[in-house]
Amino acid sequence: MRDRPRVRMAPSPTGYVHLGSARTMLYNVLFARAQGGRVVLRIDDTDLGRSEPEYEQAIFDGFHWLGLDWDEGPDVGGPHGPYRQSERLDLYREHAVRLLQSGAAYRCFCTPEELAAERAEAERRRRPYRYSRRCLVDPPRYRQEFAVRLRVPEGETTFTDLVRGEIRVENATIGDPVIVKSNGWPTYNFASPVDDALMEITHVFRGEEHLPNTPVQLMILDALGYRRPQALIHLPVIVGKDRKKLSKRHHPEVRLGLYQELGFLPEALVNYLALLGWNPGTDQEIFSFEELVRAFDVSRVQRASAMFDWDKLEWINGQYIRRLSDRELADRLRPYLADLPEETVTAAAPALKERLPYLGRASELLAYLRTPPAPPELDPEQREMVRAARERLEEVDWAPGPVESALEELRRERGWSRGRLYTPIREAVAGRVSPPLHYTLALLPRDEALARLRRAAG
Ligand code: GLU
């Protein structure tokens, strides 16, 4: 069925999941869901030395955590399997043979040393390196080990990228690429288009860094007589505040697992990622998943690099936290506050809601429940305030509402400003950071709160 789109996400299990992969997956899913299409998860594990099963699991877990599901894949099966490239080697071999037989590919017997020498020579002459085609013209007869190279045809390759428009490449600028390595494994540029064709992929979404690979992949499809995908969509790179591409070395925030660990809500991260390279053309910033499915439009994917903005992500996450019911927030907080009793977490949820940028910060805001602060240094007036507050609090019902009313009454009676009164009380019971003061007090057992006030001011 050509009319229902089929998209694929094709991650390589060579490390932790990258934020950019999460975004590519999201755009694939949004596009497919809007059109009633199907999402294929294909594992590009042809990089033998670097692919690990645990990284594959991390991909499944990461996408599941975000709520991004696939219809076909190594774990769920499907009619176009297997979905791991390492299990499709026969298919690549067959296709390589077809290309060899038609003359679209040839065997290359050059040794790594010979190729290195060619490259060094090109460098010496300050020319861009392209394979010399020595083995096409005059292959050495006595050697056994070979790689397979695509014979790049004459002319030019043109295609339309939905983000970047029409792209034209002079084929003469491309050296004949290796498509099967001497160990028999396919290269990415060969396995990927073969699978895209066999899996009947209609729309290819991937990062902009793959744009230079596209002409070769299209040449391979053309040479095999396969249909090209209906559309290619290269997504803008994601850059950090330093305007450099997000990378493992310089940007810890590139790791998807970080957000799970810190306690970002997956639905908030999805919302943020949707806007990281796409805009709806309106001021709307908070989108439910269903709204994203309806609003997402490939023609509004931007060409310019997408700037990762931590503050905006925190802001969006905060919006989602504030929209949770107290109960839901308590449930989500529990894993991050595993050392606190359940009732405390339940009682703390409304207190934390207004201030929490992500769930993992709760622990720090509630640290005073575990360890009392050092008694603060107070001036005589502050001591008087803390003492008066303690006396007043000895009589009230121990809950946030009555505590707040009692303190408000006290400060009106004495003409103290809120800031003047609240600061020493907070320092006495909690230290510098804590939830709003009436919650800060009420979350502690009354005796403990009063004892801390007494310790600070007598
Ligand atoms: N395995 C490639 C990657 O992770 C896939 C690129 C593509 O989508 O073609 O970058």
Side-chain angles (χ1 to χ4, degrees):
M1 274 204 309
R2 236 5 220 192
D3 48 348
R4 297 220 162 207
R6 289 177 56 81
V7 300
R8 92 300 196 271
M9 177 69 204
S12 301
T14 52
Y16 57 67
V17 185
H18 200 289
L19 202 63
S21 295
R23 185 192 60 177
T24 305
M25 179 62 174
L26 173 62
Y27 287 17
N28 269 307
V29 171
L30 292 177
F31 179 78
R33 296 292 171 248
Q35 318 263 330
R38 280 173 81 81
V39 179
V40 175
L41 179 62
R42 182 176 79 221
I43 299 293
D44 279 9
D45 57 352
T46 54
D47 193 343
L48 259 182
R50 294 169 61 218
S51 300
E52 298 288 345
E54 78 230 42
Y55 294 140
E56 180 183 296
Q57 190 59 45
I59 293 167
F60 298 162
D61 294 347
F63 292 167
H64 279 314
W65 176 66
L66 288 171
L68 302 176
D69 298 324
W70 48 99
D71 306 299
E72 299 171 30
D75 54 339
V76 292
H80 295 79
Y83 292 92
R84 273 185 204 96
Q85 290 191 325
S86 60
E87 295 166 14
R88 301 172 62 82
L89 298 182
D90 289 350
L91 288 165
Y92 309 130
R93 218 159 281 151
E94 245 168 63
H95 284 81
V97 169
R98 268 168 64 184
L99 292 176
L100 284 167
Q101 283 170 347
S102 71
Y106 61 95
R107 293 183 170 85
C108 173
F109 298 89
C110 291
T111 63
E113 295 72 32
E114 287 166 341
L115 295 172
E118 279 193 0
R119 194 166 281 128
E121 176 64 13
E123 231 163 78
R124 204 179 55 77
R125 296 210 211 163
R126 297 178 192 285
R127 296 238 177 100
Y129 173 64
R130 281 191 294 279
Y131 175 58
S132 64
R133 287 195 159 170
R134 206 174 80 128
C135 290
L136 179 65
V137 184
D138 180 21
R141 302 252 162 250
Y142 49 91
R143 293 190 193 167
Q144 300 290 323
E145 203 169 281
F146 62 88
V148 179
R149 285 186 191 268
L150 179 76
R151 179 182 182 167
V152 170
E154 282 171 11
E156 60 177 18
T157 301
T158 56
F159 61 96
T160 305
D161 178 87
L162 288 193
V163 179
R164 263 138 236 288
E166 193 184 68
I167 296 182
R168 277 173 186 276
V169 182
E170 279 294 333
N171 292 356
T173 61
I174 301 174
D176 293 344
V178 170
I179 57 172
V180 180
K181 294 181 265 185
S182 59
N183 64 4
W185 284 64
T187 57
Y188 157 69
N189 263 340
F190 184 48
S192 187
V194 167
D195 285 346
D196 290 345
L198 297 181
M199 295 179 177
E200 296 177 32
I201 300 304
T202 59
H203 294 69
V204 170
F205 288 80
R206 64 181 161 212
E208 185 189 335
E209 65 276 14
H210 285 293
L211 202 54
N213 291 322
T214 301
V216 167
Q217 297 189 14
L218 296 178
M219 287 174 202
I220 290 170
L221 292 174
D222 294 349
L224 288 166
Y226 285 143
R227 216 192 296 217
R228 294 180 176 192
Q230 273 172 44
L232 295 151
I233 305 106
H234 287 91
L235 307 178
V237 288
I238 303 175
V239 298
K241 278 240 155 78
D242 55 3
R243 306 210 167 250
K244 298 215 175 84
K245 185 176 179 219
L246 281 199
S247 72
K248 275 187 196 182
R249 280 200 35 209
H250 303 293
H251 306 91
E253 62 269 36
V254 74
R255 185 171 61 89
L256 179 64
L258 176 74
Y259 302 90
Q260 193 170 6
E261 285 157 27
L262 291 179
F264 282 84
L265 307 192
E267 56 274 43
L269 185 56
V270 159
N271 188 151
Y272 177 71
L273 287 176
L275 300 173
L276 193 56
W278 167 81
N279 78 77
T282 64
D283 291 340
Q284 188 176 350
E285 294 199 282
I286 302 297
F287 289 84
S288 69
F289 188 77
E290 289 67 35
E291 285 175 317
L292 284 176
V293 169
R294 257 177 275 130
F296 184 73
D297 174 357
V298 173
S299 71
R300 301 200 70 95
V301 172
Q302 73 196 41
R303 289 168 82 142
S305 306
M307 170 94 80
F308 181 80
D309 180 346
W310 184 270
D311 295 336
K312 181 166 179 186
L313 170 60
E314 274 195 6
W315 179 81
I316 289 183
N317 199 56
Q319 297 294 312
Y320 276 78
I321 287 179
R322 293 187 239 319
R323 286 169 192 216
L324 294 177
S325 70
D326 291 349
R327 232 194 116 119
E328 251 179 299
L329 178 56
D331 286 344
R332 299 213 197 195
L333 278 169
R334 258 178 255 291
Y336 296 89
L337 295 171
D339 62 322
L340 293 179
E342 239 182 275
E343 324 80 77
T344 310
V345 178
T346 307
L352 294 169
K353 209 185 239 181
E354 293 308 314
R355 300 195 174 182
L356 215 49
Y358 47 87
L359 304 175
R361 281 289 284 282
S363 185
E364 184 189 333
L365 287 167
L366 298 182
Y368 77 99
L369 294 179
R370 304 179 192 98
T371 333
E377 280 180 26
L378 305 178
D379 62 35
E381 192 191 17
Q382 287 178 315
R383 292 170 71 85
E384 168 55 17
M385 289 171 167
V386 170
R387 208 187 43 72
R390 176 182 54 74
E391 279 173 3
R392 198 57 67 97
L393 292 173
E394 269 168 2
E395 293 151 25
V396 302
D397 286 342
W398 202 244
V403 167
E404 183 172 32
S405 315
L407 292 178
E408 285 300 288
E409 205 179 274
L410 175 66
R411 78 176 188 82
R412 270 199 304 273
E413 277 172 33
R414 310 288 280 264
W416 290 326
S417 77
R418 181 173 291 150
R420 270 302 272 160
L421 176 63
Y422 283 17
T423 303
I425 299 177
R426 185 187 303 281
E427 287 182 4
V429 289
R432 300 224 160 262
V433 289
S434 70
L437 188 63
H438 49 297
Y439 282 106
T440 297
L441 287 160
L443 286 170
L444 279 172
R446 181 209 296 265
D447 292 348
E448 175 62 20
L450 297 178
R452 289 185 189 184
L453 293 174
R454 181 172 287 119
R455 217 176 300 143

